[in-house]
């Protein structure tokens, strides 16, 4: 009997369907190994990832673990240069995509065949049985255990608490209770299931420990520490130049990692802080705001902490300049709302708004200069300019970082404060001048600013009843608070 290609294809399709049906029938609890992706062979593959091209112990570390013997893989963007004489059997996993090759990590099981993988710091020496002990700790630990750490060298690991607050772009470390770690301080070998490692969006990002701890916390993975240590190799002292080079590279890698992980502020266990967001020399963290809804709100996040800090600094600077010049100003709109609610900028706001008496403008030399037409940078690098959108003024954090304070000139007419430019926002309305007679001091953004008397009545006139008690995003038609 001759089989046509069409019949063959049909037979193939039927067999595949029968196989799928069989898998479904066996149910998820009892699914046979043949219906799942391969789980790998028992064992631990050593991955060497954190090392410097120009100064490393790669050959020694690889040789030590390869002699156990376990599979050893060197993962690097490209082959180390200058070349490293790797022992026989130790392979290189190039991570940088190359146009005529398959994507490097599309099929990690092609590179790592074992069920477990250990991320081993450069300069570590193998100890027979310790990788297996780590693996047993992982598999026999409490149900949430997905990560095991062991120290390298004579210093024990320090257990740290780690909390992530993605909405405010923050990672917060603390002193962990004994036995409960989310991260460790100190050089460590990290062991996890191969499958787990390669389900992470950044499986081999550097620095490896930070990248793994953060992604593990986001998934609720438990971390166990094994006290037994791997020895560290004795290495010649690093030259000052290489030390400097390594520090610089480490810093730029840390910045890249934080950008990838969406972290702009780390609060360390000792209270120190590390900032990764915008500064005076950089651009603002978010682009032009459309429909009063900045892009971070659409991404389910609030104002980056670096931006809030720069806004506070700009507001304090502008208020200082206005007060020194005798310009009467007051907290307006969302800024007054923030002052009334929490004495600060609303945590999702993107600018600061101040009203000013139009007739006072000439008293401030920077405002007068901006009104004359040209943007002007003051002595501290803040940029004052007339807004392109109408008769109001902006003071930017710097020429490159356009976080700003808006200054809205009002003038009295028959006991009512009015102005010439209206942007059509619901809160953009005239109000009785009596709110400014007198103005009153109010805590705002870490200093004291002047505000309309009876802030509540002023805010309810502008935003409607209950404005202080019922927070809402600037444009609920686009995105509402609590929608995430
Ligand atoms: Zn920023
Ligand atoms: Mg505003």
């Amino acid at each position: 009997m001759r089989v046509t290609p069409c019949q063959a294809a049909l037979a193939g399709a039927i067999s595949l369907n029968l196989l799928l049906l069989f898998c479904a029938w066996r149910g998820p609890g009892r699914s046979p190994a043949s219906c799942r992706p391969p789980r790998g062979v028992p064992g631990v593959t050593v991955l060497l990832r954190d090392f410097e091209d120009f100064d490393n112990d790669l050959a020694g570390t690889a040789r030590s673990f390869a002699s156990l013997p376990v599979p050893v893989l060197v993962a690097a963007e490209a082959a180390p240069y200058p070349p490293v004489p790797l022992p026989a059997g130790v392979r290189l996993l190039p991570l940088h995509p190359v146009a005529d090759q398959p994507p490097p990590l599309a099929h990690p099981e092609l590179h790592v065949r074992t069920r477990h993988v250990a991320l081993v710091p450069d300069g570590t020496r193998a100890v027979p049985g310790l990788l297996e002990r780590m693996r047993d700790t992982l598999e026999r630990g409490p149900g949430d255990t997905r990560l095991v750490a062991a120290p390298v060298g004579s210093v024990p690991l320090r257990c740290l608490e780690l909390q992530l607050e993605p909405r405010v772009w923050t990672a917060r470390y603390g002193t962990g209770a004994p036995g409960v770690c989310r991260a460790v301080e100190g050089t460590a070998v990290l062991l996890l299931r191969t499958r787990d490692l390669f389900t992470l969006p950044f499986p081999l990002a550097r620095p490896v420990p930070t990248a793994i701890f953060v992604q593990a916390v986001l998934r609720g993975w438990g971390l166990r520490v094994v006290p037994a240590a791997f020895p560290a190799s004795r290495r010649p002292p690093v030259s000052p130049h290489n030390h400097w080079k390594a520090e610089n590279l480490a810093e730029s890698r840390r910045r890249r990692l934080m950008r990838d992980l969406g972290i702009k502020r780390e609060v360390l266990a000792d209270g120190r802080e590390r900032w990764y967001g915008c500064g005076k020399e950089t651009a603002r963290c978010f682009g032009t705001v459309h429909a009063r809804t900045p892009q971070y709100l659409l991404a389910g996040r609030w104002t980056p902490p670096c931006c809030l800090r720069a806004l506070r600094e700009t507001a304090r600077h502008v208020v200082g300049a206005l007060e020194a010049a005798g310009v009467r100003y007051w907290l307006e709109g969302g800024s007054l709302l923030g002052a009334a609610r929490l004495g600060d900028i609303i945590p999702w706001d993107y600018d600061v708004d101040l009203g000013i008496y139009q007739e006072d403008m000439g008293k401030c030399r920077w405002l007068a200069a901006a009104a004359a037409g040209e943007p002007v940078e003051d002595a501290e690098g803040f940029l004052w300019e007339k807004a392109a959108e109408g008769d109001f003024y902006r003071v930017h954090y710097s020429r490159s970082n356009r976080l700003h304070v808006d200054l809205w000139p009002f003038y009295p007419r028959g006991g009512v404060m009015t102005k010439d430019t209206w942007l059509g926002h619901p809160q953009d309305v005239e109000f009785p001048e009596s709110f400014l007679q007198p103005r009153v001091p109010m805590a705002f953004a870490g200093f004291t600013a002047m505000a309309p008397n009876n802030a509540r009545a002023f805010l309810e006139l502008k935003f409607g009843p209950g404005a202080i008690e019922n927070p809402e995003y600037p444009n609920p038609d686009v995105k509402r608070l609590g929608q995430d």
Side-chain angles (χ1 to χ4, degrees):
M1 185 184 86
R2 286 193 57 203
V3 179
T4 66
C6 187
Q7 285 170 321
L10 197 64
I14 290 170
S15 327
L16 184 66
N17 270 307
L18 284 173
L19 181 68
L20 288 175
L21 207 63
F22 176 70
C23 291
W25 170 69
R26 292 291 298 263
R30 293 182 294 161
S31 66
S34 62
C35 296
R36 279 197 185 157
R39 286 195 58 215
V41 299
V44 181
T45 298
V46 163
L47 265 178
L48 305 180
R49 175 68 180 122
D50 260 334
F51 62 87
E52 301 298 349
D53 269 21
F54 54 88
D55 175 36
N56 61 64
D57 175 63
L58 217 43
T61 308
R63 197 178 314 114
S64 175
F65 280 89
S67 70
L68 277 174
V70 294
V72 178
L73 209 52
V74 175
E77 267 58 42
Y81 186 85
V84 174
L86 292 175
V90 172
R91 284 182 304 121
L92 179 79
L93 171 56
L95 298 173
H96 198 276
V98 179
D100 63 354
Q101 300 286 318
L105 289 182
H107 292 282
E109 71 277 6
L110 295 181
H111 312 286
V112 181
R113 306 266 322 278
T114 55
R115 253 171 238 172
H116 294 85
V117 63
L119 293 152
V120 172
D122 192 33
T124 305
R125 289 295 175 265
V127 175
L130 190 44
L131 288 175
E132 290 72 14
R133 191 165 149 199
M134 292 177 77
R135 181 197 57 200
D136 293 347
T137 304
L138 179 91
E139 294 301 341
R140 293 172 199 164
D144 72 338
T145 307
R146 303 288 275 274
L147 189 59
V148 172
V152 177
S154 52
V155 184
L157 294 175
R158 185 174 165 223
C159 194
L160 294 177
E161 178 59 46
L162 170 57
Q163 284 174 354
L164 290 162
E165 300 157 39
R167 203 169 57 173
V168 291
W169 313 78
T170 298
R172 200 179 289 279
Y173 292 87
T175 307
V180 188
C181 316
R182 291 288 171 189
V184 293
E185 198 178 82
T187 313
V189 170
L190 299 178
L191 181 137
L192 64 173
R193 292 188 192 121
T194 306
R195 222 175 19 188
D196 282 348
L197 176 67
F198 290 106
T199 56
L200 297 178
F202 305 103
L204 296 174
R206 296 175 69 185
V208 167
T210 311
I212 299 285
F213 296 144
V214 168
Q215 295 178 93
V217 165
L218 289 170
R219 285 159 182 78
W221 290 0
L223 164 65
R224 310 271 297 171
V225 176
V226 167
F230 291 88
S233 73
R234 249 197 294 267
R235 297 169 68 178
V238 182
S239 74
H241 176 71
N242 278 357
H243 181 77
W244 171 86
K245 229 161 114 177
E247 295 267 287
N248 274 328
L249 285 167
E251 176 63 18
S252 56
R253 279 196 285 261
R254 186 168 277 280
R255 295 202 156 272
R256 198 175 320 130
L257 177 66
M258 293 302 150
R259 192 197 55 207
D260 287 345
L261 297 175
I263 295 171
K264 293 186 189 290
R265 185 170 70 129
E266 282 183 302
V267 183
L268 306 183
D270 61 7
R272 279 182 307 132
E273 298 192 344
R274 284 200 287 243
W275 293 74
Y276 300 98
C278 62
K280 205 115 186 164
E281 311 300 325
T282 72
R284 185 171 73 171
C285 290
F286 53 94
T288 304
V289 175
H290 298 277
R292 288 176 288 137
T293 306
Q295 61 194 127
Y296 55 77
L297 275 189
L298 295 180
R301 293 184 169 216
W302 288 353
T303 317
C306 47
C307 299
L308 283 176
R309 184 171 70 163
L311 273 177
R312 290 188 192 106
E313 194 183 325
T314 311
R316 179 197 286 268
H317 175 76
V318 170
V319 159
L322 296 178
E323 285 178 355
V327 176
R328 287 165 293 166
Y329 72 91
W330 61 94
L331 292 169
E332 259 293 342
S335 298
L336 182 61
L337 204 49
R341 272 190 206 141
L342 65 158
D344 200 357
I345 297 168
I346 292 175
W348 51 81
D349 208 352
Y350 51 87
D351 68 2
V352 167
D353 295 297
L354 300 177
I356 53 172
Y357 270 87
Q358 193 171 55
E359 63 189 86
D360 291 352
M361 275 183 46
K363 296 178 182 174
C364 171
R365 61 182 275 223
W366 307 113
L367 259 184
E374 282 296 299
V376 54
E377 200 176 308
D378 68 22
E380 275 119 297
F382 295 87
L383 189 73
W384 300 63
E385 70 172 14
K386 184 175 177 302
E389 296 91 330
D391 280 324
F392 64 101
Y393 296 84
R394 282 206 163 129
V395 186
H396 300 277
Y397 184 45
S398 72
R399 210 172 265 282
S400 48
N401 190 334
R402 295 297 172 119
L403 286 162
H404 57 256
V405 173
D406 279 334
L407 300 171
W408 303 94
F410 282 79
Y411 54 88
R413 190 172 57 197
V416 169
M417 295 302 287
T418 188
K419 60 188 169 83
D420 295 329
T421 290
W422 300 96
L423 294 186
H425 303 165
Q427 73 269 28
D428 201 12
V429 292
E430 297 179 328
F431 61 89
E433 192 183 11
S434 59
F435 278 114
L436 305 176
Q437 294 164 333
R439 295 172 300 137
V440 298
M442 238 174 136
F444 177 69
F447 59 99
T448 301
M450 298 308 281
N453 63 70
N454 199 346
R456 171 173 297 276
F458 186 88
L459 286 166
E460 296 205 333
L461 171 77
K462 297 214 164 194
F463 291 94
I468 298 176
E469 291 77 14
N470 305 306
E472 186 46 270
Y473 285 165
N475 190 346
D477 292 340
V478 176
K479 177 109 185 191
R480 301 189 70 87
L481 179 64
Q483 203 180 311
D484 288 310

